[in-house]
């Protein structure tokens, strides 16, 4: 069960408190934070209210002999927990789940805007998200004087991506990152923009030239069309594996294909066109690369959007010490539980609706916590 694996990994956390102040066990505090986050709690006061209302339910899992801590205890403990160990436990928890089939793993960053103060910038977290499984596989905080370029390799060191396809936007289109992905036994699809100006221009000129031809043996194509709400969107992916001419080829580990995604949107009588370019270690299969590019947006639509709109992450006023980073990990854990339950037990429910069901009914919350994967 998910909770058995949670206890197995998070139960090994080092308690940052001195012995004489450990009235409330750490595992009970973490359990309240997880369950409360599943059920919609956001502030420290919310967690206290939730736990007091659900005390009989919570005692099905832990004794809570001392009752429920006050909001200041939740705040102090969460601020003091070592975020690196907490993150490591989270990643180990996800790695303990049954092996997932080959999928697209999207990597991207998100700023927790409410965590900033007059003296400190808000934290920025880079996450690895399974686009098909809808699970957060790991996260890494970007250093205060650093950026995603240095955080991504550190995240790749922690997450098992072997056999999967890693996708990133242009920020992650770096030679050392491509090499790291290949060393980890994974494929990559990386977006090209101005940060790789020469490579971007060479790929653009070649693919646009080949696409303009009536017939070209140099490219593979795949077209998809969606219509709804008065909008018609056509996506045409063009991929070429004939890249021996590319001067930068020796500098990019495993590079096998280049791609162009051409998007046309028709809405309210207006038509817009856009072209985006990519490099990949995958073979020149337009359908496969088109799927990877499309799947990458799951990290925006299913993770970042959900955290902002459903979990209200950007509105969170948790700011002290390590608390913002640790609560970001808690929210990821809660979202993983909800997504798994939605897939296996509550099909058709939204994440927002499922949080309400869990908060209002012990049976739903019990199902979420006890689910088998």
């Amino acid at each position: 069960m998910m909770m058995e694996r949670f206890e197995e990994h998070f139960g090994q956390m080092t308690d940052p408190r001195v012995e004489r102040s450990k009235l409330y066990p750490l595992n009970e505090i973490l359990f309240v934070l997880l369950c409360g986050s599943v059920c919609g709690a956001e502030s420290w006061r919310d967690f206290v209210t939730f736990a007091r209302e659900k005390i009989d339910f919570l005692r099905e899992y832990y004794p809570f002999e001392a009752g429920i801590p006050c909001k200041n205890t939740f705040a102090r403990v969460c601020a003091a927990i070592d975020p690196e160990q907490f993150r490591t436990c989270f990643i180990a928890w996800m790695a303990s789940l049954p092996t997932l089939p080959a999928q697209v793993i999207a990597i991207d960053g998100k700023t927790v805007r409410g965590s900033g103060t007059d003296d400190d910038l808000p934290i920025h977290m880079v996450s690895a998200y399974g686009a098909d499984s809808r699970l957060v596989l790991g996260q890494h905080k970007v250093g205060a004087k650093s950026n995603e370029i240095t955080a991504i390799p550190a995240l790749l060191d922690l997450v098992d991506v072997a056999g999967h396809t890693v996708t990133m936007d242009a920020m992650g289109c770096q030679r050392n990152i491509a090499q790291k992905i290949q060393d980890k036994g994974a494929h990559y699809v990386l977006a090209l923009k101005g940060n790789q100006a020469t490579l971007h221009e060479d790929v653009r000129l070649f693919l646009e030239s080949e696409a303009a031809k009536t017939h070209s043996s140099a490219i593979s194509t795949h077209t998809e069309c969606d219509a709804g709400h008065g909008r018609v969107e056509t996506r045409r992916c063009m991929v070429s594996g004939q890249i021996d001419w590319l001067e930068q080829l020796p500098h990019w580990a495993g590079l096998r294909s280049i791609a162009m995604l051409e998007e046309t949107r028709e809405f309210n009588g207006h038509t817009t066109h856009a072209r985006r370019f990519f490099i990949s270690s995958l073979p020149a299969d337009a359908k496969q690369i088109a799927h990877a590019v499309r799947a990458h947006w799951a990290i925006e639509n299913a993770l970042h959007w959900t955290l902002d709109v459903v979990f209200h992450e950007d509105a969170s006023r948790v700011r002290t010490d390590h608390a913002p980073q640790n609560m970001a990990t808690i929210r990821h854990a809660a979202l993983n539980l909800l997504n798994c339950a939605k897939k296996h037990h509550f099909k058709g429910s939204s994440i927002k609706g499922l949080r309400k069901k869990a908060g209002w009914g012990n049976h739903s919350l019990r199902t979420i916590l006890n689910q088998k994967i």
Side-chain angles (χ1 to χ4, degrees):
M1 294 189 298
M2 289 286 277
M3 276 311 302
E4 289 177 351
R5 292 194 175 101
F6 183 87
E7 169 63 24
E8 177 184 348
H9 294 283
F10 286 88
Q12 305 304 314
M13 282 290 302
T14 301
D15 195 324
R17 298 168 293 175
V18 296
E19 285 297 326
R20 66 177 181 274
S21 65
K22 292 182 182 181
L23 177 61
Y24 304 98
L26 180 62
N27 56 4
E28 293 183 356
I29 292 174
L30 293 179
F31 186 61
V32 170
L33 291 176
L34 178 65
C35 292
S37 294
V38 167
C39 295
E42 295 173 2
S43 68
W44 302 127
R45 192 179 301 276
D46 284 349
F47 288 108
V48 175
T49 302
F50 163 81
R52 287 176 178 170
E53 292 295 323
K54 292 277 192 179
I55 184 63
D56 291 336
F57 174 86
L58 296 175
R59 282 177 171 154
E60 294 179 15
Y61 295 86
Y62 294 100
F64 286 90
E65 293 177 354
I68 303 302
C70 68
K71 64 184 181 65
N72 291 335
T73 299
F74 280 111
R76 285 195 300 267
V77 172
C78 195
I81 290 173
D82 179 3
E84 301 304 317
Q85 186 187 18
F86 201 48
R87 180 197 62 190
T88 301
C89 290
F90 174 88
I91 293 174
W93 176 44
M94 296 315 302
S96 71
L97 299 181
T99 302
L100 298 170
Q103 64 174 329
V104 172
I105 296 178
I107 293 180
D108 197 16
K110 178 185 180 298
T111 300
V112 183
R113 301 194 181 280
S115 62
T117 67
D118 292 338
D119 299 319
D120 297 306
L121 293 173
I123 65 169
H124 189 79
M125 302 287 289
V126 175
S127 301
Y129 187 69
D132 300 311
S133 64
R134 291 295 195 265
L135 295 176
V136 182
L137 305 176
Q139 63 283 114
H140 186 81
K141 179 186 174 184
V142 177
K145 297 182 179 180
S146 185
N147 56 36
E148 290 184 19
I149 296 175
T150 56
I152 290 170
L155 177 58
L156 287 169
D157 281 334
L158 298 169
V159 178
D160 182 10
V161 297
H164 304 295
T165 298
V166 178
T167 61
M168 278 178 258
D169 61 18
M171 176 70 79
C173 188
Q174 307 289 332
R175 296 174 184 176
N176 66 311
I177 292 176
Q179 181 67 63
K180 172 75 74 173
I181 294 170
Q182 286 284 282
D183 291 344
K184 296 279 289 185
H187 285 294
Y188 61 79
V189 176
L190 307 178
L192 273 176
K193 282 188 179 178
N195 63 323
Q196 299 290 344
T198 302
L199 178 59
H200 178 269
E201 186 66 7
D202 289 347
V203 169
R204 184 187 69 81
L205 288 173
F206 177 81
L207 288 175
E208 288 184 340
S209 173
E210 292 298 320
K213 297 177 181 178
T214 305
H215 300 286
S216 174
S217 60
I219 60 175
S220 163
T221 63
H222 175 72
T223 302
E224 297 176 343
C225 185
D226 291 330
H229 305 287
R231 182 183 68 246
V232 177
E233 181 175 339
T234 303
R235 294 178 300 277
R236 185 183 179 211
C237 184
M238 289 151 278
V239 181
S240 178
Q242 297 183 19
I243 56 175
D244 292 343
W245 53 271
L246 197 61
E247 291 184 6
Q248 299 92 342
L249 181 60
H251 305 299
W252 291 87
L255 180 57
R256 296 175 65 188
S257 58
I258 55 177
M260 176 174 72
L261 187 67
E262 187 175 61
E263 298 175 321
T264 302
R265 291 186 179 184
E266 300 175 31
F267 184 66
N268 286 340
H270 299 283
T271 301
T272 58
H273 301 275
R275 284 176 170 175
R276 294 181 289 144
F277 300 89
F278 304 85
I279 59 173
S280 178
S281 62
L282 291 169
D285 182 331
K287 184 176 182 180
Q288 184 179 17
I289 291 179
H291 167 73
V293 171
R294 187 86 187 276
H296 177 79
W297 288 102
I299 197 170
E300 292 289 350
N301 300 331
L303 177 59
H304 295 167
W305 184 90
T306 301
L307 290 173
D308 282 343
V309 177
V310 180
F311 283 75
H312 305 132
E313 182 172 74
D314 276 355
S316 172
R317 312 306 286 178
V318 175
R319 296 173 170 177
T320 305
D321 298 329
H322 301 311
Q325 186 175 349
N326 288 328
M327 282 308 301
T329 300
I330 285 285
R331 283 188 287 267
H332 285 166
L335 182 56
N336 282 353
L337 285 174
L338 288 163
N339 272 324
C340 286
K342 178 184 173 184
K343 180 178 180 181
H344 297 286
H345 303 284
F346 300 93
K347 296 180 180 179
S349 296
S350 66
I351 294 298
K352 181 178 180 180
L354 188 50
R355 293 183 89 195
K356 289 181 178 180
K357 285 176 68 69
W360 295 342
N362 287 346
H363 174 73
S364 295
L365 180 55
R366 192 178 293 110
T367 300
I368 293 169
L369 295 177
N370 295 346
Q371 62 186 308
K372 296 181 180 179
I373 305 298

